[in-house]
Amino acid sequence: MLPKEKLEKLYKSGLSMMQIAEKEKWPYYTVRYCMERYNIKRRLRDEACYYGFWTRHNNGKPTLSYKFGKKLALEKVKDLYYKKGYSAQETGEFFGKSTSRVYDFMRKHGLKRRLPVETNNLIYEKQKLSYRLKKNLTREEEKLKIAGLMLYWAEGAKAQKVLGTNRKRHMINLANSDPEMIKLFLKFLREICGVDENRLRVNLYCYANQNVDSLKRYWHNVTDIPLSQFIKPYIRKDFLPEKKDKMKYGLVHIVYSDKKLFLQIKEWISQYLNETINLPG
């Protein structure tokens, strides 16, 4: 019997069973028997050919498996990188190769790398959702959904341009001083959108003559959002005395940072408006 640890190490380094046999002067069938006896997992056909492409026999001449492996390697890398959207690192991990090795392979065979914007788009698409939309809504839930959408259409923030750049910030941001409206919108987010409670934020806006801690406790009771999730409040000092009672409890922004949910709400609003405007009569 051949030593398991050594055999496993040689195989994982990328050598084929034939190459291991030649390198260590072991009979091929003994290597194969020990692989099966030790239950060492064999590489898939594509992986084996990929290794064959980069690992030649000792005489350094391209073999049939090398030439066949080159063709399969090209097709497999194209499939993983372009069609399935794998990163170079993920492609390398699939074959047990480093990222730099994959880039070197792509460069030698004229395979273009993605642009940074394309990479960012793929990362965005692969991101796990932070919310769970409720399906098969009841009649009452449909009413809540429509109310939440119309409230955001009227009072919610649209995409905001990031200063000094061409990028836009997409986040759900609804501002109001009416506690009932805030409760309604949060009910929509929680029951219809299934948002992650830990990602909800409250941004308080108030005047300098108001008790900030008291206002925060008030809105904490209204929203049931922990005080630890309240953003540093904006306190306005240049206010007119006659307006001191205009916002008794200040104004709050309910913030939820998730571009996908923002776009989903925007799509829902558009669909509802189109359906309503196009109703007969």
Side-chain angles (χ1 to χ4, degrees):
M1 293 289 288
L2 305 177
K4 179 182 177 181
E5 289 185 4
K6 185 174 183 179
L7 179 59
E8 194 169 26
K9 184 178 180 180
L10 288 169
Y11 189 69
K12 286 185 176 180
S13 72
L15 296 177
S16 67
M17 289 188 291
M18 180 66 77
Q19 290 169 322
I20 292 172
E22 291 179 355
K23 178 180 175 63
E24 299 297 324
K25 303 295 190 291
W26 292 337
Y28 169 76
Y29 290 105
T30 302
V31 174
R32 182 173 178 177
Y33 170 77
C34 290
M35 289 279 292
E36 294 173 355
R37 183 70 181 271
Y38 294 142
N39 198 27
I40 298 174
K41 189 176 180 181
R42 300 273 295 276
R43 286 187 283 269
L44 298 175
R45 182 170 177 268
D46 287 343
E47 293 177 273
C49 288
Y50 188 83
Y51 277 115
F53 170 65
W54 266 308
T55 311
R56 307 185 185 191
H57 284 298
N58 292 335
N59 58 15
K61 295 179 181 179
T63 62
L64 180 62
S65 65
Y66 172 86
K67 293 176 181 177
F68 185 56
K70 177 180 177 180
K71 181 179 178 181
L72 277 183
L74 280 167
E75 295 305 315
K76 194 62 181 177
V77 170
K78 288 178 184 177
D79 177 62
L80 294 175
Y81 189 78
Y82 296 120
K83 294 183 181 179
K84 295 182 178 177
Y86 276 37
S87 65
Q89 181 181 348
E90 290 170 329
T91 303
E93 288 173 353
F94 181 87
F95 293 115
K97 294 294 179 182
S98 67
T99 305
S100 60
R101 197 74 181 272
V102 173
Y103 280 141
D104 183 55
F105 173 82
M106 292 177 67
R107 184 171 58 256
K108 286 181 179 178
H109 296 90
L111 303 181
K112 291 185 178 180
R113 292 171 59 174
R114 282 189 286 268
L115 297 173
V117 65
E118 295 175 303
T119 300
N120 291 335
N121 287 337
L122 280 173
I123 292 172
Y124 165 72
E125 290 298 330
K126 291 179 180 180
Q127 283 178 347
K128 186 179 179 181
L129 297 179
S130 71
Y131 57 91
R132 182 176 294 178
L133 302 179
K134 187 167 186 180
K135 299 179 181 179
N136 303 319
L137 303 182
T138 65
R139 193 172 182 178
E140 292 302 313
E141 289 169 338
E142 285 286 357
K143 291 180 181 178
L144 173 59
K145 179 180 177 181
I146 293 171
L149 294 177
M150 292 301 97
L151 182 56
Y152 196 80
W153 181 45
E155 301 289 338
K158 309 306 183 280
Q160 300 173 331
K161 191 171 182 179
V162 180
L163 291 176
T165 71
N166 292 322
R167 294 184 296 108
K168 289 185 177 181
R169 181 183 290 112
H170 300 83
M171 65 170 64
I172 296 160
N173 187 339
L174 180 133
N176 211 279
S177 59
D178 187 333
E180 295 305 315
M181 284 191 179
I182 294 298
K183 283 182 180 180
L184 176 62
F185 186 66
L186 280 171
K187 188 175 182 180
F188 161 72
L189 288 181
R190 286 164 168 157
E191 296 184 15
I192 306 302
C193 300
V195 296
D196 179 358
E197 289 286 335
N198 294 321
R199 295 185 65 160
L200 284 169
R201 295 291 182 270
V202 179
N203 190 3
L204 173 65
Y205 176 105
C206 61
Y207 294 115
N209 69 321
Q210 294 176 298
N211 187 312
V212 176
D213 290 335
S214 177
L215 292 181
K216 288 174 69 175
R217 286 193 297 272
Y218 173 80
W219 287 110
H220 160 66
N221 292 329
V222 170
T223 63
D224 200 27
I225 296 175
L227 290 172
S228 59
Q229 292 173 217
F230 277 56
I231 301 169
K232 184 178 180 180
Y234 175 80
I235 303 173
R236 184 170 179 176
K237 296 180 180 180
D238 59 332
F239 64 93
L240 299 174
E242 59 268 24
K243 292 186 177 182
K244 65 179 182 179
D245 296 321
K246 187 177 181 180
M247 294 191 301
K248 184 178 179 181
Y249 300 109
L251 175 144
V252 292
H253 292 254
I254 300 299
V255 181
Y256 192 83
S257 297
D258 191 303
K259 181 180 178 181
K260 289 184 179 180
L261 184 56
F262 172 86
L263 295 176
Q264 177 64 74
I265 290 175
K266 187 177 177 182
E267 181 184 344
W268 277 342
I269 291 172
S270 179
Q271 288 175 351
Y272 179 74
L273 292 175
N274 288 335
E275 289 170 4
T276 305
I277 292 170
N278 294 327
L279 283 176

